[in-house]
Amino acid sequence: NWHNGKIIGGTLTNPPLPGEAGEGIIFFGDISPTGSAVGPGYTVGFGSTPMPHEPEGYDGQFSGQFYGTEYQGLGLTGDGAGYAIADQSTVAENWKMTGAGFKEPAGTGPVYQDAAPTGSITWSGFVTGMAENLTSGISFNRMLFKNNDSSLFQLAVNRDSGEISGTLTAQGQVSGSYSIENVKVGGTLPSAYVNDQALVAELGSGGITDGSGVKYGGSMEQELKPHGSYLLANRSGLRLSSYTSWGYWESAFDDPATPTDAYHLHAPGSLWLAGALTDPAAVQDLIDQGFTGIYQGKAVGIVIDPDLAGTVSPLTSGGGADTWGDVNLNIDFAGSAGTPVSGTFSFDQAILDIDSTTGSLTSSGFQAGVAGSSASSVNGAFYGPGAEAVGGNFHVEMTTGGTRYQGIFGADRQP
């Protein structure tokens, strides 16, 4: 981004799936005022190998140089350390990297834009989290998280300075899960914004509670582990809706009740979606008019089968790991509507039938459930100047078999 002087790159498109070998580094930082050099900047990332080998959190530094009369060439060098996610007190390994690239022709990149976005904007949205036990085994007491209100995930995006700041809070969704409170996103920690589909920020502070405000382990500022904690936009180019951005986040913490057990929040179960909310007054106008709309889009998430100890797999549509589910929602804004939100989330693994009751849609968002579930929660909000889009998250436990589904969704209103 030549406007704000930020650069983001890396060796991965999306994080690897649980149990798969792989590793990657995201580097981000500043372009020099003369535009000739890059950095020094920051790196975040992960190393992942099949259990029982332990993943690592990477961090370090990088610098680089542009080449050519139109800055069409780029060379990079970097180095840093890897820390075992469970025990981050010592360096597990050191790493070095070199890299080079050449500018793509205009319009060929997945997130290429001719003009850089400008101004400042506040995003609100939704998260899901999946934390697996690195000490006793990834299927032992797996924890799931999500927030039920868009006010609990906030990002202040300054497109002119290229910096991001915000907080993230999410509640536990299963028995034994804690709640994650006030995780710091960027701010005084390193961050970078290139455009709405290319951003990254380190995560820090925050803490783990029992869900009623009781804080474990002393100061909440010391709860989350310092290495390998970051929030990253999805770089595939897929937008769940025209007014939202989405991606992954990663962090780790010790079980407050059993400190010898370390937990790792990671992809594909730890997701976020955010955007600029519709003014509640504009939504209220639609409620007063009794407006109805059809919203279609995409959903991303995981299936845990047959119960919390089961295998985690990405939800798919069309048979491929790089495809996403289809969202079809009918939204009746009328205050007296018996079923204000209905429709389906369709995946290869299941079709989730969305249902709701009178009063579950307000000017600030909506809640719904899933038919045939023993427990379910679908939460959403409106995006765009006139509620042209919706976005949210979901968590479902089916009555038969105990299979769980969890993820995020976005959809645009159809003409």
Side-chain angles (χ1 to χ4, degrees):
N1 185 317
W2 293 100
H3 169 64
N4 61 31
K6 294 293 184 179
I7 184 171
I8 301 173
T11 62
L12 77 162
T13 300
N14 293 320
L17 306 179
E20 290 187 351
E23 58 185 354
I25 294 289
I26 293 293
F27 56 84
F28 61 101
D30 300 302
I31 302 169
S32 69
T34 63
S36 60
V38 178
Y42 305 92
T43 58
V44 294
F46 61 88
S48 174
T49 55
M51 298 295 283
H53 302 290
E54 185 178 10
E56 295 177 354
Y58 292 161
D59 58 28
Q61 303 77 40
F62 82 97
S63 60
Q65 183 75 42
F66 287 105
Y67 298 94
T69 57
E70 297 181 356
Y71 304 102
Q72 61 267 46
L74 175 66
L76 299 169
T77 62
D79 58 56
Y83 300 82
I85 292 295
D87 180 5
Q88 300 190 2
S89 60
T90 59
V91 174
E93 66 177 16
N94 294 294
W95 61 266
K96 294 181 180 295
M97 70 103 174
T98 59
F102 199 80
K103 184 170 66 177
E104 292 182 328
T108 62
V111 290
Y112 185 90
Q113 291 183 212
D114 290 320
T118 59
S120 296
I121 193 167
T122 298
W123 288 356
S124 303
F126 298 88
V127 301
T128 64
M130 177 187 68
E132 295 185 314
N133 191 308
L134 297 177
T135 309
S136 300
I138 60 173
S139 62
F140 176 76
N141 287 343
R142 185 179 277 124
M143 296 188 190
L144 300 175
F145 304 90
K146 68 186 285 288
N147 64 327
N148 297 327
D149 190 294
S150 61
S151 66
L152 297 178
F153 177 46
Q154 300 274 314
L155 296 176
V157 181
N158 188 323
R159 291 163 168 158
D160 298 315
S161 69
E163 297 174 334
I164 300 165
S165 63
T167 57
L168 181 159
T169 291
Q171 296 83 22
Q173 298 299 299
V174 297
S175 176
S177 294
Y178 303 111
S179 289
I180 300 171
E181 292 193 4
N182 299 318
V183 172
K184 183 179 181 181
V185 183
T188 57
L189 299 171
S191 65
Y193 169 92
V194 169
N195 60 41
D196 288 357
Q197 278 68 58
L199 58 92
V200 61
E202 288 193 10
L203 304 179
S205 67
I208 310 299
T209 81
D210 69 352
S212 63
V214 176
K215 300 169 186 177
Y216 291 96
S219 171
M220 288 180 64
E221 298 297 315
Q222 301 173 1
E223 288 295 343
L224 294 183
K225 293 179 180 292
H227 301 292
S229 295
Y230 59 92
L231 179 148
L232 173 69
N234 174 271
R235 303 175 69 212
S236 70
L238 172 75
R239 302 191 71 171
L240 303 185
S241 84
S242 300
Y243 293 88
T244 58
S245 299
W246 70 280
Y248 305 91
W249 61 292
E250 179 172 0
S251 191
F253 59 91
D254 290 330
D255 186 328
T258 311
T260 55
D261 281 353
Y263 278 85
H264 185 205
L265 285 148
H266 63 90
S270 298
L271 302 162
W272 64 270
L273 174 142
L277 293 175
T278 305
D279 187 327
V283 181
Q284 187 60 50
D285 286 343
L286 298 179
I287 294 173
D288 294 340
Q289 297 169 23
F291 182 81
T292 61
I294 297 173
Y295 290 78
Q296 296 179 344
K298 295 293 183 179
V300 184
I302 56 172
V303 54
I304 305 176
D305 187 39
D307 53 33
L308 280 174
T311 301
V312 175
S313 302
L315 288 166
T316 59
S317 177
D322 294 330
T323 60
W324 290 269
D326 294 317
V327 173
N328 288 276
L329 291 177
N330 303 306
I331 297 185
D332 187 343
F333 287 84
S336 60
T339 308
V341 182
S342 61
T344 58
F345 295 168
S346 300
F347 306 98
D348 293 330
Q349 295 83 353
I351 296 178
L352 305 181
D353 292 314
I354 310 303
D355 197 6
S356 60
T357 58
T358 301
S360 57
L361 184 151
T362 70
S363 60
S364 60
F366 57 86
Q367 297 80 41
V370 173
S373 64
S374 58
S376 62
S377 174
V378 179
N379 300 94
F382 301 103
Y383 296 92
E388 292 88 351
V390 296
N393 60 15
F394 60 93
H395 175 259
V396 183
E397 180 182 7
M398 301 308 292
T399 302
T400 302
T403 301
R404 291 179 184 264
Y405 304 91
Q406 181 167 286
I408 57 174
F409 67 91
D412 290 338
R413 191 170 69 223
Q414 301 305 294

